[in-house]
Amino acid sequence: MNVVVLLKQTPDTESVIRIASNGKSVATDDLKWIINPYDEFAVEAALRFKEKHGGDVTIVSWGPQRVVESIRTALAMGADSGVLIEDPALDGSDNLGVAKALAAAVKEIKPDIVLCGSRAVDYDEAQRGPMVAELLGWPHLAFAVAIDSDGSKVTIDRPIEGGKVVLEANLPALVTFGGSHAVWNPRYASLPGIMKAKKKPLATKKLADLGVDASAVGAGAAKIVMSSLEMPPQRAAGKIIDGGLDTSGKAVELVRSLHEEAKVI
Amino acid sequence: MAKCVCVIAEYRQGGFRRVSYEVASAGKRLADALGTNVCAIAVGAGIADKAAELGRYAVDKVYVADDPALANYVAETYVPVIADIVAKVDPAVLILPASVDGKDLGARLAARLQAGLAQDCIEITSQNGVVKAKRPIFAGKCLAWCEWPQGALPVISCRPNVMDCLAPMEDKKAEVEKVQVSIPQSRSIVKSIDLDTSGKIELTEAEIIVSGGRGMKGPENYTLLEDLAKILGAAVGASRAAVDAGWRPHSDQVGQTGKVVNPNLYVAVGISGAIQHLAGMGSSKFIVAVNKDSEAPIFTKADYGIVEDLFNFVPLLTEEVRKLKSSCS
């Protein structure tokens, strides 16, 4: 069973986010970069499929050279090879533009299944997986918190508001991952894994290598733009309920405040 | 009349979900600004008779795809059906819920329509006929304004619980047009649906959340929070630390990896306030923090802070809320 994982490199979730001087993007100079956690869950699921069914796991990513480090991390976890789509023509792409490049890379690899995060922790777009599936004409199952496959079909658990749905699709299909670290428990790269990863194949490709028309992606083709960024309103400093009250007195005062001042209970 | 603002209503298990009324209301406000009207698309099985009720929220006309094969949401069937209706309606703007299904639908639909999607928006405005939408990024650490180039169809999904609902117009009914649709063969199916009937409130749609972190010390102590939540009609959440420790299910996790919530009241109990947690709950309207460490970062976000041992304080708080509730009723 051959698996492709679409992997995005994102800033660490502990990062403090600042707006760049152009007012339209996030300052990236002092960020620490990680594999998008939801994509990391997909890597873990891919490796479990490999252990169960055999086959290869290929990591497909896009962006500048710094992304190589995240691909190598996935290779150190146990993936077999990587592809980085690095092309300045992709700059300024909307999600659809990126999806076109990713779909072209998937077509070339011809996997049985494509796995990726349901969203990335940077721009929270939740668009990449469904868009790639649509471009491929494949079914997609979104937001998996459990996954199983017998090699010919795939089944997932998908939490919805107030319940759970079990979905099934015939392969080839695309699955996006929800859940959390506690659900997927992604493995750490072992030291031998890290040594081996250095020798695993990692190809850098241009759009032309994938047969993607550069005019179909990039800023010029974007159907949506981020025109400006702003910081969320600062919360006014709150008040500590104390006033020499004992524990019980604080409970009384808190309930009074929530009922009479905030009017939320 | 100018092209309409078109909203996609979400229907599940015999009724429209509240978020459908929220997007209809947001659609109406935008339509007023653009000088046009609101139409809707509703997809499901046996919904043609119910669709007229969207009129209560200012929808003038509903295009309905009603077929047993559309009983449950499956992207592979819903997307082509809705895309065909969108092509027929040719709206100025398309608005849908950023619910679990809606986010998924919106993304695949945008690819099919070759349109730009702004996901999980919290505000929609227009200036001189140009539509803009605001959405949180980095789980709310920053906010982005999105715009669409001339000629591109704006597709906007709205975060549940954010857009104000119009006061329903009880006597208004929408015109309903049943659309003949061709439903493609699907390679994906719904095997089962298991709805929680225990009355548990969904975190992303809760008006009040009581959330516990590492300070809870163990899974058994969450009964303290469940007791409080029950009286408040609240949902129970958890920090990543509590979920990673296996104390609470992952579906309860609030934060940048987890759910982003925006209740009227968020009560953080024994949560220190890691930046990834603050990102997930920072847009709550009121925040209460209970922590014995007065230096905990959560207090910088809290409207009301209580520096106390939670094991002493929470039972007293529950008792006070109980008194209030019994005096109100």
Side-chain angles (χ1 to χ4, degrees):
Chain A
M1 189 170 171
N2 292 321
V3 187
V4 162
V5 177
L6 306 177
L7 180 152
K8 186 177 189 186
Q9 188 184 53
T10 60
D12 191 294
T13 52
E14 291 300 320
S15 303
V16 173
I17 298 302
R18 292 180 298 108
I19 298 171
S21 55
N22 67 7
K24 294 181 179 187
S25 60
V26 165
T28 54
D29 35 353
D30 55 355
L31 291 175
K32 182 184 164 209
W33 298 91
I34 60 168
I35 298 175
N36 170 41
Y38 293 93
D39 295 339
E40 196 182 357
F41 306 158
V43 173
E44 176 60 35
L47 296 174
R48 292 182 199 170
F49 278 150
K50 178 182 160 78
E51 286 157 5
K52 188 171 163 193
H53 297 292
D56 283 336
V57 175
T58 308
I59 306 296
V60 174
S61 190
W62 74 102
Q65 274 298 314
R66 65 169 150 72
V67 177
V68 165
E69 188 191 339
S70 290
I71 300 176
R72 290 274 178 218
T73 302
L75 297 179
M77 287 168 74
D80 299 285
S81 62
V83 175
L84 173 65
I85 307 168
E86 185 194 15
D87 196 321
L90 263 182
D91 293 353
S93 289
D94 58 5
N95 288 290
L96 191 53
V98 172
K100 284 175 184 168
L102 295 173
V106 171
K107 270 186 194 157
E108 206 168 65
I109 300 165
K110 298 187 180 65
D112 300 295
I113 192 166
V114 175
L115 310 179
C116 68
S118 57
R119 63 181 170 95
V121 294
D122 50 4
Y123 291 94
D124 291 321
E125 300 273 10
Q127 300 193 29
R128 176 174 32 132
M131 282 185 160
V132 169
E134 174 64 24
L135 295 172
L136 292 170
W138 287 12
H140 83 268
L141 310 180
F143 210 49
V145 296
I147 188 168
D148 195 17
S149 177
D150 62 5
S152 67
K153 56 184 192 296
V154 59
T155 309
I156 70 155
D157 286 359
R158 164 179 168 85
I160 58 171
E161 295 86 354
K164 183 187 87 173
V165 178
V166 178
L167 296 171
E168 184 179 280
N170 292 320
L171 299 181
L174 183 147
V175 176
T176 77
F177 285 73
S180 67
H181 291 87
V183 170
W184 298 107
N185 201 14
R187 67 195 67 189
Y188 290 104
S190 65
L191 193 56
I194 292 167
M195 299 311 289
K196 274 191 215 158
K198 291 178 180 166
K199 293 186 181 140
K200 288 180 177 174
L202 200 167
T204 300
K205 299 212 173 185
K206 299 278 177 204
L207 292 171
D209 301 331
L210 300 167
V212 176
D213 178 4
S215 70
V217 302
K223 307 289 187 192
I224 181 169
V225 291
M226 264 195 318
S227 52
S228 64
L229 299 186
E230 62 188 49
M231 295 310 283
Q234 280 291 330
R235 297 190 81 93
K239 75 174 186 194
I240 299 289
I241 293 177
D242 192 335
L245 296 165
D246 63 6
T247 309
S248 166
K250 289 178 187 175
V252 172
E253 175 58 15
L254 176 61
V255 170
R256 190 201 64 76
S257 303
L258 291 174
H259 184 58
E260 293 176 12
E261 291 171 15
K263 298 185 169 53
V264 288
I265 64 171
Chain B
M1 189 163 228
K3 290 179 177 184
C4 69
V5 169
C6 184
V7 301
I8 302 176
E10 185 168 309
Y11 187 88
R12 188 184 291 160
Q13 305 286 323
F16 287 105
R17 300 189 63 245
R18 180 189 150 86
V19 70
S20 301
Y21 307 140
E22 294 172 10
V23 293
S25 302
K28 172 63 176 170
R29 286 186 286 272
L30 180 63
D32 284 348
L34 295 175
T36 186
N37 60 341
V38 184
C39 60
I41 297 173
V43 175
I47 68 168
D49 298 339
K50 308 257 176 74
E53 76 167 71
L54 291 171
R56 294 162 64 213
Y57 295 91
V59 173
D60 289 317
K61 182 168 182 179
V62 189
Y63 297 87
V64 172
D66 190 343
D67 193 291
L70 298 169
N72 296 314
Y73 171 75
V74 174
E76 244 187 313
T77 51
Y78 270 49
V79 167
V81 163
I82 292 174
D84 285 351
I85 301 176
V86 171
K88 172 186 157 82
V89 175
D90 188 25
V93 182
L94 191 59
I95 306 178
L96 72 162
S99 55
V100 175
D101 288 348
K103 279 196 218 175
D104 185 38
L105 169 73
R108 189 154 184 154
L109 184 63
R112 194 172 183 94
L113 297 171
Q114 297 283 303
L117 167 64
Q119 194 85 284
D120 215 16
C121 294
I122 56 172
E123 192 177 337
I124 305 172
T125 65
S126 72
Q127 270 177 337
N128 306 322
V130 177
V131 176
K132 289 175 75 173
K134 184 158 80 174
R135 55 184 303 273
I137 58 175
F138 292 87
K141 289 177 189 169
C142 189
L143 302 169
W145 279 103
C146 298
E147 292 182 42
W148 288 263
Q150 197 131 34
L153 171 68
V155 184
I156 299 169
S157 72
C158 297
R159 177 174 287 189
N161 245 5
V162 172
M163 303 294 172
D164 289 333
C165 269
L166 299 170
M169 295 169 275
E170 293 304 340
D171 50 351
K172 185 166 179 267
K173 289 208 180 325
E175 179 193 343
V176 176
E177 179 179 331
K178 275 188 83 167
V179 184
Q180 289 305 316
V181 290
S182 58
I183 302 163
Q185 199 67 35
S186 169
R187 284 203 283 132
S188 46
I189 54 163
V190 174
K191 293 277 281 183
S192 66
I193 298 181
D194 179 13
L195 289 178
D196 187 344
T197 51
S198 67
K200 187 178 171 187
I201 301 164
E202 169 65 25
L203 278 174
T204 54
E205 297 178 347
E207 295 196 357
I208 302 179
I209 294 173
V210 178
S211 208
R214 202 190 303 270
M216 296 305 296
K217 293 190 175 158
E220 64 282 4
N221 297 324
Y222 275 78
T223 51
L224 284 177
L225 302 189
E226 281 158 1
D227 290 347
L228 175 58
K230 196 169 172 191
I231 295 173
L232 286 169
V236 177
S239 70
R240 181 176 161 188
V243 173
D244 280 357
W247 300 347
R248 300 299 286 178
H250 69 89
S251 55
D252 288 359
Q253 185 170 323
V254 173
Q256 198 168 353
T257 50
K259 289 176 177 163
V260 176
V261 298
N262 47 305
N264 286 329
L265 173 61
Y266 189 91
V267 184
V269 181
I271 292 176
S272 63
I275 190 166
Q276 90 112 344
H277 187 79
L278 298 178
M281 45 64 84
S283 67
S284 305
K285 290 182 192 79
F286 274 89
I287 297 172
V288 170
V290 180
N291 203 301
K292 65 181 175 189
D293 174 11
S294 64
E295 302 293 317
I298 190 77
F299 286 119
T300 65
K301 294 276 177 183
D303 298 284
Y304 299 112
I306 301 285
V307 183
E308 282 283 345
D309 183 323
L310 71 93
F311 294 99
N312 296 330
F313 181 76
V314 173
L316 293 167
L317 176 61
T318 304
E319 192 46 42
E320 281 309 311
V321 175
R322 196 191 312 273
K323 281 185 206 161
L324 174 76
K325 293 286 175 183
S326 57
S327 67
C328 289
S329 59

